[in-house]
Amino acid sequence: MTDASEKHVTLTKMCELHSIAMPRDGELAERFQKAFPTAAFDESAHEWRMVWKKGTYADSNARLEAFFHDNGATVVHVDKC
């Protein structure tokens, strides 16, 4: 069963970097690592980080949104770009 803390994810778009505020460990994190192998957990920021090429934001956001929706998590978007 998925932990309650995994139900809410904050996705922050920072131009060519996305940060994903969700727990480092747990079922959702394991599935996330398999779906997005280029993502890495930033120990100092306590969040996941992914680099995206300029011009692919709509696609990357759609992929992330679909992943979290399919895994029962709600997403809050923050745009800092």
Side-chain angles (χ1 to χ4, degrees), residues 14-40:
M14 299 182 294
C15 297
E16 294 190 15
L17 180 70
H18 284 4
S19 68
I20 301 97
M22 68 175 198
R24 177 185 181 159
D25 299 309
E27 290 179 40
L28 184 60
E30 289 177 21
R31 287 187 228 132
F32 180 76
Q33 286 179 304
K34 288 179 185 172
F36 300 96
T38 61

Side-chain angles (χ1 to χ4, degrees), residues 8-13 19 21 65 68 73-79:
H8 304 283
V9 174
T10 300
L11 170 62
T12 304
K13 182 173 70 173
S19 68
E65 183 82 32
F68 289 118
T74 58
V75 177
V76 174
H77 292 273
V78 177
D79 189 350

